[in-house]
Amino acid sequence: RRAKKADGSVDSTKAEMPFDRAIVVPMSLAILTVRLTQLLAIFGSREPFIQLEGRGPEDVKAAKLMEALLGYDFAQMSAYTVMYAFCQDAEKYGLGVIHDCWEVEQGWKMQRPPAMTDQMKSMLEYMGLGGLLRPQQTWGVTREYNRWEAVDPFHYWPDPRAPVSQVQLGEFVGHRIFRGMMHFKERAIENGGDYFNIEFLPKAGGRGATRTGRNRFDLGDFQLREAPEGDDRGFYGLDTMQIKLIPADWKLGTGTRPEIWRFAWADESVIVRASPTGYAHGQFSYAVGESVPDEHAGNNPGNIENLEGIQRTINWLVNSHVDNVRKHLNDAIIFSPSLVEEADLLNPGPSRHVRLTALGEKMLQQGQLAITQMLMQLPWVDVTKGHLQTTNALFDMAQRLAATSDPQMSQTTDDERTLGEVQQVIAGSSARLAMTARMLDAQALQPLANRMVSNRQQFTELSQFVRITGELAAEMGGAERALIGPSDLGGAFDYIPHSGTMPADPARIAGVWAKMLEAGAKIPQLQQPGPDGKVLDLRQVFNEAAKAMGVKNVNQFYISVMPDPAVMAAVQAGNMVPM
Protein backbone atom coordinates (compact mmCIF):
# COMPACT_ATOMS: atom_id res chain seq x y z
CA ARG A 1 0.00 0.00 0.00
CA ARG A 2 1.04 3.61 -0.50
CA ALA A 3 2.84 5.67 2.12
CA LYS A 4 0.91 8.23 4.10
CA LYS A 5 2.02 11.87 4.39
CA ALA A 6 2.01 13.92 7.56
CA ASP A 7 -1.31 15.54 6.66
CA GLY A 8 -2.99 12.13 6.25
CA SER A 9 -2.99 12.09 2.46
CA VAL A 10 -1.42 9.28 0.42
CA ASP A 11 1.81 9.63 -1.55
CA SER A 12 1.24 7.68 -4.78
CA THR A 13 4.95 7.69 -5.64
CA LYS A 14 6.18 5.86 -2.52
CA ALA A 15 5.36 2.51 -0.95
CA GLU A 16 4.81 2.15 2.77
CA MET A 17 7.83 0.94 4.69
CA PRO A 18 7.43 -2.54 6.25
CA PHE A 19 8.06 -1.27 9.76
CA ASP A 20 5.11 1.12 9.48
CA ARG A 21 2.77 -1.82 9.95
CA ALA A 22 1.96 -3.41 13.28
CA ILE A 23 3.51 -6.81 14.03
CA VAL A 24 1.51 -9.80 15.27
CA VAL A 25 3.88 -12.14 17.07
CA PRO A 26 2.80 -15.72 16.10
CA MET A 27 3.03 -17.06 19.66
CA SER A 28 -0.48 -18.55 19.63
CA LEU A 29 0.15 -20.19 16.27
CA ALA A 30 3.36 -21.83 17.53
CA ILE A 31 1.59 -23.19 20.61
CA LEU A 32 -1.44 -24.32 18.60
CA THR A 33 0.79 -26.21 16.15
CA VAL A 34 2.53 -28.09 18.96
CA ARG A 35 -0.73 -29.03 20.66
CA LEU A 36 -2.32 -30.14 17.39
CA THR A 37 0.73 -32.27 16.57
CA GLN A 38 0.46 -34.01 19.94
CA LEU A 39 -3.31 -34.52 19.77
CA LEU A 40 -3.27 -35.90 16.23
CA ALA A 41 -0.36 -38.18 17.13
CA ILE A 42 -2.56 -39.60 19.90
CA PHE A 43 -5.73 -39.97 17.84
CA GLY A 44 -3.97 -41.11 14.67
CA SER A 45 -1.77 -43.73 16.31
CA ARG A 46 -4.12 -46.60 15.45
CA GLU A 47 -4.90 -48.36 12.20
CA PRO A 48 -7.81 -48.34 11.71
CA PHE A 49 -8.64 -45.05 13.36
CA ILE A 50 -10.99 -46.63 15.90
CA GLN A 51 -10.61 -50.30 16.80
CA LEU A 52 -13.37 -52.53 18.15
CA GLU A 53 -13.28 -55.23 20.79
CA GLY A 54 -16.04 -57.77 21.31
CA ARG A 55 -17.43 -57.76 24.82
CA GLY A 56 -18.43 -61.43 24.80
CA PRO A 57 -17.08 -64.54 23.05
CA GLU A 58 -19.81 -64.37 20.43
CA ASP A 59 -18.88 -60.76 19.64
CA VAL A 60 -15.19 -61.27 18.80
CA LYS A 61 -15.47 -62.27 15.15
CA ALA A 62 -18.27 -59.79 14.49
CA ALA A 63 -16.14 -57.02 16.03
CA LYS A 64 -13.28 -57.79 13.64
CA LEU A 65 -15.60 -57.69 10.62
CA MET A 66 -17.17 -54.45 11.78
CA GLU A 67 -13.75 -52.95 12.44
CA ALA A 68 -12.68 -53.75 8.90
CA LEU A 69 -15.75 -51.96 7.53
CA LEU A 70 -15.15 -48.93 9.75
CA GLY A 71 -11.60 -48.83 8.38
CA TYR A 72 -13.12 -48.53 4.90
CA ASP A 73 -15.38 -45.70 6.13
CA PHE A 74 -12.45 -43.79 7.61
CA ALA A 75 -10.60 -44.01 4.31
CA GLN A 76 -13.61 -42.77 2.32
CA MET A 77 -14.23 -39.72 4.48
CA SER A 78 -10.55 -38.81 5.11
CA ALA A 79 -11.04 -39.09 8.86
CA TYR A 80 -7.61 -37.65 9.66
CA THR A 81 -8.44 -34.32 8.01
CA VAL A 82 -11.77 -34.20 9.84
CA MET A 83 -10.00 -34.82 13.13
CA TYR A 84 -7.51 -32.06 12.33
CA ALA A 85 -10.34 -29.55 11.85
CA PHE A 86 -12.16 -30.86 14.95
CA CYS A 87 -9.10 -30.56 17.22
CA GLN A 88 -8.15 -27.18 15.76
CA ASP A 89 -11.62 -25.75 16.41
CA ALA A 90 -11.65 -27.17 19.93
CA GLU A 91 -8.25 -25.63 20.70
CA LYS A 92 -8.85 -22.24 19.05
CA TYR A 93 -12.49 -21.58 19.84
CA GLY A 94 -13.13 -24.04 22.66
CA LEU A 95 -15.66 -25.96 20.57
CA GLY A 96 -15.13 -28.71 18.00
CA VAL A 97 -18.17 -30.10 16.20
CA ILE A 98 -18.53 -33.16 13.93
CA HIS A 99 -21.71 -34.00 12.05
CA ASP A 100 -21.96 -37.71 11.31
CA CYS A 101 -24.37 -39.37 8.93
CA TRP A 102 -24.88 -42.39 6.70
CA GLU A 103 -23.95 -41.36 3.17
CA VAL A 104 -25.32 -43.11 0.09
CA GLU A 105 -23.79 -41.64 -3.04
CA GLN A 106 -25.76 -41.92 -6.26
CA GLY A 107 -24.10 -41.59 -9.64
CA TRP A 108 -23.28 -43.16 -12.98
CA LYS A 109 -21.56 -46.53 -12.88
CA MET A 110 -20.62 -49.19 -15.42
CA GLN A 111 -22.63 -52.40 -15.29
CA ARG A 112 -21.19 -55.47 -17.00
CA PRO A 113 -23.50 -57.73 -19.03
CA PRO A 114 -24.50 -61.10 -17.56
CA ALA A 115 -22.52 -64.19 -18.53
CA MET A 116 -23.79 -65.87 -21.66
CA THR A 117 -22.73 -68.54 -24.14
CA ASP A 118 -21.02 -67.81 -27.43
CA GLN A 119 -24.20 -68.87 -29.25
CA MET A 120 -26.25 -66.26 -27.40
CA LYS A 121 -23.63 -63.59 -28.12
CA SER A 122 -23.70 -64.45 -31.83
CA MET A 123 -27.49 -64.27 -31.84
CA LEU A 124 -27.47 -60.79 -30.26
CA GLU A 125 -24.92 -59.62 -32.79
CA TYR A 126 -27.05 -61.02 -35.64
CA MET A 127 -30.13 -59.18 -34.26
CA GLY A 128 -28.19 -55.87 -34.09
CA LEU A 129 -28.13 -55.89 -30.30
CA GLY A 130 -24.37 -56.15 -29.92
CA GLY A 131 -24.38 -53.09 -27.68
CA LEU A 132 -25.86 -55.26 -24.92
CA LEU A 133 -22.60 -57.21 -24.84
CA ARG A 134 -20.64 -54.19 -23.71
CA PRO A 135 -20.71 -52.56 -20.24
CA GLN A 136 -23.68 -50.21 -19.87
CA GLN A 137 -23.69 -46.94 -17.97
CA THR A 138 -26.46 -46.96 -15.34
CA TRP A 139 -27.50 -44.66 -12.51
CA GLY A 140 -27.34 -46.17 -9.06
CA VAL A 141 -25.54 -46.39 -5.75
CA THR A 142 -21.79 -45.94 -6.22
CA ARG A 143 -20.75 -46.28 -2.60
CA GLU A 144 -22.15 -46.17 0.92
CA TYR A 145 -20.28 -45.35 4.11
CA ASN A 146 -20.32 -43.48 7.41
CA ARG A 147 -19.33 -39.88 6.84
CA TRP A 148 -18.02 -37.25 9.23
CA GLU A 149 -18.04 -33.55 8.47
CA ALA A 150 -16.35 -30.86 10.54
CA VAL A 151 -18.84 -28.09 11.37
CA ASP A 152 -17.85 -24.44 11.59
CA PRO A 153 -18.42 -23.46 15.27
CA PHE A 154 -19.75 -20.10 14.06
CA HIS A 155 -22.37 -21.89 11.94
CA TYR A 156 -23.48 -24.36 14.60
CA TRP A 157 -26.91 -24.02 16.15
CA PRO A 158 -27.15 -25.90 19.52
CA ASP A 159 -29.93 -25.85 22.09
CA PRO A 160 -28.73 -23.11 24.48
CA ARG A 161 -30.58 -24.68 27.41
CA ALA A 162 -28.15 -27.62 27.58
CA PRO A 163 -24.35 -27.65 28.03
CA VAL A 164 -22.81 -27.38 24.60
CA SER A 165 -20.84 -30.62 24.97
CA GLN A 166 -23.98 -32.53 26.09
CA VAL A 167 -25.73 -32.25 22.75
CA GLN A 168 -28.03 -35.23 23.44
CA LEU A 169 -29.62 -33.42 26.39
CA GLY A 170 -31.09 -30.72 24.14
CA GLU A 171 -34.21 -30.89 22.01
CA PHE A 172 -32.77 -29.53 18.76
CA VAL A 173 -29.42 -28.99 17.05
CA GLY A 174 -28.32 -27.90 13.58
CA HIS A 175 -25.69 -26.27 11.42
CA ARG A 176 -25.14 -24.42 8.13
CA ILE A 177 -23.13 -25.41 5.08
CA PHE A 178 -22.90 -23.93 1.58
CA ARG A 179 -23.67 -26.01 -1.50
CA GLY A 180 -24.33 -25.57 -5.20
CA MET A 181 -27.33 -26.71 -7.19
CA MET A 182 -25.70 -29.99 -8.23
CA HIS A 183 -25.60 -31.05 -4.58
CA PHE A 184 -29.40 -30.89 -4.49
CA LYS A 185 -29.85 -32.45 -7.93
CA GLU A 186 -27.77 -35.52 -7.07
CA ARG A 187 -29.79 -36.04 -3.89
CA ALA A 188 -33.26 -35.21 -5.23
CA ILE A 189 -36.17 -37.54 -4.53
CA GLU A 190 -36.34 -38.62 -8.16
CA ASN A 191 -32.67 -39.72 -7.89
CA GLY A 192 -33.18 -41.70 -4.71
CA GLY A 193 -32.41 -38.86 -2.28
CA ASP A 194 -34.45 -36.74 0.14
CA TYR A 195 -34.51 -33.21 -1.34
CA PHE A 196 -37.66 -31.66 -2.84
CA ASN A 197 -38.76 -28.16 -3.95
CA ILE A 198 -35.52 -27.89 -5.91
CA GLU A 199 -37.25 -26.15 -8.80
CA PHE A 200 -37.98 -23.17 -6.53
CA LEU A 201 -34.36 -22.56 -5.53
CA PRO A 202 -33.31 -20.32 -8.48
CA LYS A 203 -36.44 -18.23 -7.96
CA ALA A 204 -35.54 -17.72 -4.31
CA GLY A 205 -32.21 -16.10 -5.10
CA GLY A 206 -29.27 -18.47 -4.94
CA ARG A 207 -27.01 -15.80 -3.50
CA GLY A 208 -26.04 -17.70 -0.37
CA ALA A 209 -27.60 -17.15 3.05
CA THR A 210 -26.69 -14.02 4.95
CA ARG A 211 -23.31 -14.39 6.61
CA THR A 212 -23.03 -10.99 8.29
CA GLY A 213 -22.27 -11.40 11.98
CA ARG A 214 -22.33 -15.19 11.69
CA ASN A 215 -18.76 -15.83 10.67
CA ARG A 216 -15.36 -14.75 11.87
CA PHE A 217 -14.49 -13.35 8.41
CA ASP A 218 -16.24 -11.20 5.85
CA LEU A 219 -16.72 -13.73 3.09
CA GLY A 220 -18.11 -11.30 0.57
CA ASP A 221 -15.10 -11.89 -1.67
CA PHE A 222 -15.62 -15.66 -1.64
CA GLN A 223 -19.15 -15.91 -2.98
CA LEU A 224 -21.22 -14.60 -5.88
CA ARG A 225 -23.82 -12.17 -4.58
CA GLU A 226 -25.71 -11.88 -7.85
CA ALA A 227 -28.85 -13.87 -8.53
CA PRO A 228 -28.32 -16.90 -10.81
CA GLU A 229 -28.92 -16.35 -14.50
CA GLY A 230 -28.39 -18.27 -17.71
CA ASP A 231 -26.87 -21.70 -17.04
CA ASP A 232 -25.91 -20.74 -13.49
CA ARG A 233 -28.21 -22.25 -10.87
CA GLY A 234 -26.84 -20.50 -7.82
CA PHE A 235 -24.97 -21.33 -4.62
CA TYR A 236 -27.01 -21.70 -1.47
CA GLY A 237 -26.67 -21.55 2.29
CA LEU A 238 -28.15 -24.84 3.49
CA ASP A 239 -29.39 -24.94 7.10
CA THR A 240 -30.09 -28.36 8.62
CA MET A 241 -31.89 -28.75 11.93
CA GLN A 242 -32.62 -31.96 13.83
CA ILE A 243 -35.54 -31.65 16.23
CA LYS A 244 -36.89 -34.14 18.76
CA LEU A 245 -40.66 -33.94 18.52
CA ILE A 246 -43.95 -35.81 18.66
CA PRO A 247 -45.26 -36.03 15.07
CA ALA A 248 -48.91 -35.69 16.08
CA ASP A 249 -48.20 -32.37 17.85
CA TRP A 250 -46.52 -30.97 14.74
CA LYS A 251 -49.18 -32.41 12.37
CA LEU A 252 -46.49 -34.52 10.72
CA GLY A 253 -48.14 -37.86 11.35
CA THR A 254 -50.07 -39.89 13.88
CA GLY A 255 -47.14 -40.89 16.07
CA THR A 256 -47.43 -40.03 19.76
CA ARG A 257 -43.90 -40.89 20.83
CA PRO A 258 -40.82 -38.67 20.51
CA GLU A 259 -38.92 -38.96 17.23
CA ILE A 260 -36.00 -37.05 15.72
CA TRP A 261 -36.91 -35.28 12.49
CA ARG A 262 -34.55 -33.54 10.12
CA PHE A 263 -35.52 -30.31 8.38
CA ALA A 264 -33.43 -28.40 5.85
CA TRP A 265 -33.95 -25.10 4.08
CA ALA A 266 -31.92 -23.16 1.53
CA ASP A 267 -31.17 -19.43 1.72
CA GLU A 268 -33.56 -19.12 4.66
CA SER A 269 -36.49 -19.26 2.25
CA VAL A 270 -37.15 -22.70 0.65
CA ILE A 271 -37.73 -25.89 2.66
CA VAL A 272 -36.00 -28.73 0.83
CA ARG A 273 -36.14 -31.54 3.35
CA ALA A 274 -38.52 -32.75 6.07
CA SER A 275 -38.40 -36.36 7.20
CA PRO A 276 -37.56 -38.55 10.20
CA THR A 277 -33.84 -39.20 10.52
CA GLY A 278 -34.57 -42.92 10.68
CA TYR A 279 -31.43 -43.76 12.67
CA ALA A 280 -31.79 -46.79 14.92
CA HIS A 281 -29.40 -45.28 17.46
CA GLY A 282 -32.04 -42.62 18.27
CA GLN A 283 -29.53 -39.81 18.83
CA PHE A 284 -28.74 -36.46 17.28
CA SER A 285 -25.99 -37.09 14.73
CA TYR A 286 -23.61 -34.51 16.18
CA ALA A 287 -20.51 -34.97 18.33
CA VAL A 288 -19.21 -31.98 20.27
CA GLY A 289 -15.95 -31.67 22.18
CA GLU A 290 -14.57 -28.88 24.35
CA SER A 291 -10.86 -28.56 25.09
CA VAL A 292 -11.58 -26.79 28.41
CA PRO A 293 -14.98 -28.21 29.42
CA ASP A 294 -17.11 -26.81 32.21
CA GLU A 295 -20.43 -28.58 32.60
CA HIS A 296 -21.85 -25.63 34.54
CA ALA A 297 -21.25 -23.11 31.74
CA GLY A 298 -23.06 -22.91 28.43
CA ASN A 299 -19.94 -22.27 26.37
CA ASN A 300 -16.26 -22.21 27.27
CA PRO A 301 -13.20 -20.57 25.68
CA GLY A 302 -10.50 -22.68 24.07
CA ASN A 303 -6.87 -22.94 25.10
CA ILE A 304 -5.78 -20.42 22.48
CA GLU A 305 -8.53 -17.98 23.49
CA ASN A 306 -7.29 -18.20 27.08
CA LEU A 307 -3.90 -16.97 25.85
CA GLU A 308 -5.37 -13.92 24.13
CA GLY A 309 -4.41 -11.51 26.93
CA ILE A 310 -0.77 -12.61 26.83
CA GLN A 311 -0.80 -12.55 23.03
CA ARG A 312 -2.09 -8.96 22.88
CA THR A 313 0.43 -7.82 25.50
CA ILE A 314 3.32 -9.38 23.58
CA ASN A 315 2.11 -7.70 20.38
CA TRP A 316 2.04 -4.32 22.15
CA LEU A 317 5.50 -4.79 23.70
CA VAL A 318 7.10 -5.65 20.36
CA ASN A 319 5.32 -2.91 18.42
CA SER A 320 6.12 -0.26 21.02
CA HIS A 321 9.81 -1.23 20.80
CA VAL A 322 9.68 -0.95 17.00
CA ASP A 323 7.98 2.45 17.32
CA ASN A 324 10.69 3.65 19.66
CA VAL A 325 13.43 2.54 17.25
CA ARG A 326 11.62 4.22 14.37
CA LYS A 327 11.42 7.40 16.44
CA HIS A 328 15.21 7.38 16.71
CA LEU A 329 15.69 6.68 12.99
CA ASN A 330 13.38 9.56 12.10
CA ASP A 331 14.14 11.87 15.02
CA ALA A 332 14.14 15.69 14.98
CA ILE A 333 17.22 17.79 14.25
CA ILE A 334 17.66 21.35 15.52
CA PHE A 335 19.39 23.60 12.96
CA SER A 336 19.44 27.12 11.61
CA PRO A 337 18.45 27.49 7.90
CA SER A 338 20.85 30.45 7.70
CA LEU A 339 23.80 28.19 8.56
CA VAL A 340 22.86 24.82 6.91
CA GLU A 341 21.26 24.15 3.54
CA GLU A 342 17.78 23.01 4.52
CA ALA A 343 17.19 21.12 1.25
CA ASP A 344 20.09 18.77 1.98
CA LEU A 345 18.61 17.83 5.37
CA LEU A 346 15.08 17.34 4.07
CA ASN A 347 16.15 14.90 1.33
CA PRO A 348 17.87 12.00 3.11
CA GLY A 349 19.59 9.26 1.19
CA PRO A 350 22.75 7.13 1.06
CA SER A 351 26.08 8.98 0.69
CA ARG A 352 24.35 12.34 0.94
CA HIS A 353 26.19 15.64 1.41
CA VAL A 354 24.97 18.39 3.70
CA ARG A 355 26.24 21.80 2.65
CA LEU A 356 26.71 24.91 4.74
CA THR A 357 25.35 28.26 3.68
CA ALA A 358 27.75 31.09 2.89
CA LEU A 359 27.23 32.52 6.37
CA GLY A 360 27.76 29.13 8.02
CA GLU A 361 30.92 28.51 6.04
CA LYS A 362 32.24 31.98 6.96
CA MET A 363 31.56 31.53 10.69
CA LEU A 364 33.18 28.06 10.60
CA GLN A 365 36.30 29.43 8.92
CA GLN A 366 36.52 32.29 11.42
CA GLY A 367 36.20 29.88 14.33
CA GLN A 368 33.04 31.56 15.62
CA LEU A 369 30.97 28.31 15.51
CA ALA A 370 31.74 24.59 15.33
CA ILE A 371 29.79 22.08 13.24
CA THR A 372 28.20 20.62 16.39
CA GLN A 373 26.95 24.12 17.26
CA MET A 374 25.25 24.61 13.90
CA LEU A 375 22.94 21.52 14.11
CA MET A 376 22.08 18.94 16.79
CA GLN A 377 19.93 15.83 16.91
CA LEU A 378 17.65 15.54 19.90
CA PRO A 379 18.95 12.94 22.37
CA TRP A 380 17.33 9.46 22.13
CA VAL A 381 16.65 7.23 25.10
CA ASP A 382 15.52 3.61 24.55
CA VAL A 383 12.75 3.35 27.12
CA THR A 384 11.63 0.00 25.62
CA LYS A 385 14.93 -1.80 26.16
CA GLY A 386 13.35 -4.30 28.55
CA HIS A 387 10.33 -5.04 26.40
CA LEU A 388 11.92 -8.00 24.64
CA GLN A 389 12.92 -9.53 27.96
CA THR A 390 9.34 -9.11 29.18
CA THR A 391 8.17 -10.72 25.94
CA ASN A 392 10.31 -13.79 26.65
CA ALA A 393 8.91 -14.00 30.18
CA LEU A 394 5.34 -13.81 28.88
CA PHE A 395 6.10 -16.46 26.25
CA ASP A 396 7.38 -18.76 29.01
CA MET A 397 4.18 -18.14 30.95
CA ALA A 398 2.09 -19.01 27.89
CA GLN A 399 4.08 -22.22 27.41
CA ARG A 400 3.33 -23.24 31.01
CA LEU A 401 -0.36 -22.54 30.57
CA ALA A 402 -0.49 -24.52 27.31
CA ALA A 403 1.81 -27.41 28.38
CA THR A 404 4.17 -26.83 25.46
CA SER A 405 7.76 -26.97 26.69
CA ASP A 406 10.81 -25.90 24.69
CA PRO A 407 11.82 -29.49 23.77
CA GLN A 408 8.31 -30.08 22.37
CA MET A 409 8.75 -26.94 20.26
CA SER A 410 12.06 -28.29 18.91
CA GLN A 411 14.04 -25.77 20.98
CA THR A 412 16.87 -26.28 23.45
CA THR A 413 16.34 -25.19 27.04
CA ASP A 414 17.87 -21.92 28.23
CA ASP A 415 19.72 -23.64 31.07
CA GLU A 416 21.53 -26.95 31.06
CA ARG A 417 19.32 -29.97 31.73
CA THR A 418 20.06 -33.66 31.97
CA LEU A 419 18.38 -36.10 29.60
CA GLY A 420 16.25 -37.40 32.48
CA GLU A 421 15.03 -33.92 33.37
CA VAL A 422 14.12 -33.16 29.75
CA GLN A 423 12.26 -36.46 29.44
CA GLN A 424 10.41 -35.73 32.68
CA VAL A 425 9.32 -32.32 31.37
CA ILE A 426 8.12 -33.83 28.08
CA ALA A 427 6.28 -36.60 29.94
CA GLY A 428 4.51 -34.06 32.15
CA SER A 429 3.46 -31.95 29.17
CA SER A 430 2.29 -35.03 27.29
CA ALA A 431 0.22 -36.11 30.29
CA ARG A 432 -1.60 -32.76 30.32
CA LEU A 433 -2.25 -33.01 26.58
CA ALA A 434 -3.38 -36.61 27.03
CA MET A 435 -6.01 -35.38 29.49
CA THR A 436 -7.40 -33.05 26.81
CA ALA A 437 -7.37 -35.93 24.33
CA ARG A 438 -9.24 -38.19 26.76
CA MET A 439 -11.91 -35.52 27.30
CA LEU A 440 -12.39 -35.06 23.55
CA ASP A 441 -12.52 -38.82 23.15
CA ALA A 442 -15.18 -39.26 25.86
CA GLN A 443 -17.25 -36.32 24.60
CA ALA A 444 -17.11 -36.99 20.87
CA LEU A 445 -15.25 -40.04 19.55
CA GLN A 446 -16.83 -42.74 21.72
CA PRO A 447 -20.41 -41.71 20.82
CA LEU A 448 -19.34 -41.34 17.19
CA ALA A 449 -17.98 -44.89 17.08
CA ASN A 450 -21.15 -46.33 18.59
CA ARG A 451 -23.33 -44.51 16.05
CA MET A 452 -21.10 -45.69 13.20
CA VAL A 453 -21.56 -49.31 14.30
CA SER A 454 -25.31 -48.83 14.52
CA ASN A 455 -25.45 -47.23 11.05
CA ARG A 456 -23.45 -50.07 9.54
CA GLN A 457 -25.77 -52.68 11.02
CA GLN A 458 -28.88 -50.77 9.94
CA PHE A 459 -28.06 -49.45 6.47
CA THR A 460 -25.39 -51.66 4.85
CA GLU A 461 -26.75 -53.05 1.57
CA LEU A 462 -23.68 -53.43 -0.64
CA SER A 463 -21.27 -56.33 -0.18
CA GLN A 464 -17.62 -55.32 -0.40
CA PHE A 465 -14.14 -56.70 0.07
CA VAL A 466 -12.08 -55.43 3.02
CA ARG A 467 -8.59 -56.25 4.27
CA ILE A 468 -8.37 -58.57 7.29
CA THR A 469 -5.44 -59.69 9.45
CA GLY A 470 -4.68 -61.65 12.59
CA GLU A 471 -6.92 -64.43 13.91
CA LEU A 472 -9.76 -63.43 11.62
CA ALA A 473 -7.56 -64.03 8.58
CA ALA A 474 -6.68 -67.47 9.96
CA GLU A 475 -10.36 -68.25 10.44
CA MET A 476 -10.96 -67.23 6.83
CA GLY A 477 -8.41 -69.78 5.58
CA GLY A 478 -5.47 -67.35 5.53
CA ALA A 479 -7.11 -64.94 3.09
CA GLU A 480 -6.08 -61.29 3.26
CA ARG A 481 -9.42 -60.02 1.89
CA ALA A 482 -12.95 -60.91 2.98
CA LEU A 483 -16.28 -60.18 1.31
CA ILE A 484 -18.56 -58.68 3.96
CA GLY A 485 -22.26 -58.19 3.35
CA PRO A 486 -25.36 -57.22 5.36
CA SER A 487 -25.87 -60.80 6.60
CA ASP A 488 -22.45 -60.72 8.33
CA LEU A 489 -23.39 -57.70 10.46
CA GLY A 490 -26.85 -58.61 11.72
CA GLY A 491 -27.36 -59.71 15.29
CA ALA A 492 -27.23 -58.37 18.83
CA PHE A 493 -23.49 -57.76 19.03
CA ASP A 494 -21.84 -55.68 21.72
CA TYR A 495 -18.64 -53.76 20.87
CA ILE A 496 -16.14 -51.73 22.87
CA PRO A 497 -14.55 -48.96 20.75
CA HIS A 498 -10.89 -48.10 21.32
CA SER A 499 -9.39 -44.85 20.06
CA GLY A 500 -5.84 -43.53 20.32
CA THR A 501 -6.30 -42.43 23.93
CA MET A 502 -6.93 -46.00 25.12
CA PRO A 503 -4.06 -48.44 25.70
CA ALA A 504 -3.46 -50.47 22.57
CA ASP A 505 -4.42 -54.13 22.39
CA PRO A 506 -1.14 -55.98 23.11
CA ALA A 507 -1.96 -58.42 20.30
CA ARG A 508 -1.68 -55.50 17.85
CA ILE A 509 1.71 -54.19 19.04
CA ALA A 510 4.64 -55.37 16.93
CA GLY A 511 7.08 -54.99 19.81
CA VAL A 512 5.12 -57.46 21.94
CA TRP A 513 5.23 -60.10 19.21
CA ALA A 514 8.95 -59.52 18.66
CA LYS A 515 9.64 -60.07 22.38
CA MET A 516 7.52 -63.22 22.40
CA LEU A 517 9.44 -64.57 19.42
CA GLU A 518 12.76 -63.78 21.12
CA ALA A 519 11.65 -65.46 24.36
CA GLY A 520 10.37 -68.51 22.49
CA ALA A 521 13.72 -68.95 20.73
CA LYS A 522 15.77 -68.59 23.94
CA ILE A 523 13.70 -70.73 26.32
CA PRO A 524 14.11 -74.45 25.44
CA GLN A 525 11.11 -75.48 27.56
CA LEU A 526 8.78 -73.57 25.22
CA GLN A 527 10.05 -75.65 22.28
CA GLN A 528 9.21 -78.95 24.01
CA PRO A 529 5.71 -80.46 24.26
CA GLY A 530 3.95 -79.70 27.51
CA PRO A 531 1.84 -82.03 29.69
CA ASP A 532 -1.04 -81.43 27.28
CA GLY A 533 1.09 -82.50 24.32
CA LYS A 534 1.12 -79.06 22.74
CA VAL A 535 4.22 -77.13 21.66
CA LEU A 536 4.68 -73.43 20.83
CA ASP A 537 4.56 -72.80 17.08
CA LEU A 538 7.30 -70.23 16.56
CA ARG A 539 6.37 -69.87 12.90
CA GLN A 540 2.89 -68.61 13.79
CA VAL A 541 4.40 -66.20 16.34
CA PHE A 542 6.71 -64.89 13.59
CA ASN A 543 3.77 -64.53 11.17
CA GLU A 544 1.77 -62.46 13.68
CA ALA A 545 4.81 -60.28 14.42
CA ALA A 546 5.25 -59.62 10.69
CA LYS A 547 1.55 -58.72 10.30
CA ALA A 548 1.70 -56.38 13.30
CA MET A 549 4.67 -54.65 11.63
CA GLY A 550 2.58 -54.09 8.53
CA VAL A 551 3.81 -56.94 6.29
CA LYS A 552 0.67 -57.99 4.44
CA ASN A 553 1.98 -60.88 2.32
CA VAL A 554 4.33 -62.78 4.62
CA ASN A 555 2.97 -66.17 3.46
CA GLN A 556 4.27 -65.73 -0.06
CA PHE A 557 7.86 -65.86 1.20
CA TYR A 558 7.50 -69.46 2.34
CA ILE A 559 8.64 -72.19 -0.10
CA SER A 560 7.70 -75.84 -0.13
CA VAL A 561 10.39 -78.35 0.91
CA MET A 562 10.07 -82.17 0.62
CA PRO A 563 10.04 -84.00 3.93
CA ASP A 564 13.18 -86.05 4.73
CA PRO A 565 11.48 -89.47 4.37
CA ALA A 566 10.24 -88.53 0.89
CA VAL A 567 13.75 -87.43 -0.14
CA MET A 568 15.31 -90.70 1.12
CA ALA A 569 12.71 -92.72 -0.76
CA ALA A 570 13.46 -90.83 -3.98
CA VAL A 571 17.23 -91.47 -3.54
CA GLN A 572 16.70 -95.18 -3.02
CA ALA A 573 14.51 -95.30 -6.14
CA GLY A 574 17.30 -93.63 -8.14
CA ASN A 575 15.29 -90.47 -8.84
CA MET A 576 17.60 -88.23 -6.79
CA VAL A 577 21.35 -88.10 -6.17
CA PRO A 578 23.34 -86.04 -3.66
CA MET A 579 24.64 -82.69 -4.98
Side-chain angles (χ1 to χ4, degrees), residues 176-179 204-211 223-226 228 234-238 266-268:
R176 172 175 294 175
I177 57 177
F178 297 88
R179 295 292 185 268
R207 306 183 184 187
T210 304
R211 306 192 188 195
Q223 63 176 330
L224 298 175
R225 295 287 187 180
E226 296 79 9
F235 209 79
Y236 304 87
L238 179 63
D267 277 10
E268 303 177 335

Side-chain angles (χ1 to χ4, degrees), residues 9-10 19 25 48 79 96 140 145-146 235 268 297 399 448 495 509 567:
S9 61
V10 176
F19 54 73
V25 181
Y145 60 98
N146 280 289
F235 209 79
E268 303 177 335
Q399 285 182 293
L448 272 174
Y495 307 117
I509 302 176
V567 174

